Amino acid sequence: MVVGVLALQGDFEAHAGVLIRLGAEPRIVRTPADLEGLDGLVIPGGESTTMTLGIEREGLAEPLRDLVRAGTPTLGTCAGLIMLDRDHLDVLDVRARRNAFGRQVKSFEADVELDGIDGGPLRAVFIRAPGVDECGDDVEVLGEIDGHPIAVSEGNILAVAFHPELTDDGRVHEWLVERIRERTASAEGQAA
């Protein structure tokens, strides 16, 4: 199981560490060639404007869109949620808002319950976290804080406004790994 971690900016190494603990092989993604043969994708947090410029500079926009639209299980965290939205890669039918909970000094941690993630609340780290202002009909809101969506899914995409890689709780990444397993089993069943 090879999971690409977009490594233009952000704490991609922490995501790679979580994936290794879950038995997946992370691959650093910086160019379109790095996307070849991936089973899953993580778009980490960072600064969305810098990430957008890096994606454009490296010619990654269309290859990323193609990969996600083909059904590749994808996890976007913090700025990764923004990158997936209508105004950026346009593969997740949401409109995100930068710094929805305030600037850096307003960063916080909270225990959050997410539908589809078993085992009780997760400790979530919000750093200049985005929010979701609009959701399309096929988008499922999995968790909220004060009525604001902080976790959404659509098809094989999970996007969260927080940084799951900054805690010891691997359940958000487990969601991704489980989707990859399901997709692989389905493909093998169809080939048989």
Side-chain angles (χ1 to χ4, degrees), residues 27-112:
R27 179 190 298 161
I28 297 303
V29 172
R30 291 191 173 106
T31 68
D34 297 331
L35 297 171
E36 296 293 323
L38 291 181
D39 299 305
L41 176 67
V42 175
I43 302 180
E47 205 289 311
S48 59
T49 302
T50 303
M51 291 174 74
T52 298
L53 292 171
I55 286 170
E56 293 304 322
R57 180 186 68 240
E58 300 301 328
L60 278 162
E62 280 308 312
L64 284 168
R65 283 184 190 104
D66 292 345
L67 185 74
V68 177
R69 287 180 178 151
T72 301
T74 301
L75 169 63
T77 66
C78 197
L81 181 156
I82 296 169
M83 298 313 303
L84 293 166
D85 86 348
R86 296 173 189 156
D87 297 327
H88 294 83
L89 292 173
D90 192 26
V91 292
L92 178 61
D93 192 12
V94 300
R95 180 156 286 119
R97 180 168 38 101
R98 295 173 55 177
N99 303 318
F101 296 93
R103 305 294 297 169
Q104 189 80 23
V105 296
K106 298 286 188 178
S107 298
F108 64 98
E109 294 185 28
D111 292 325
V112 298

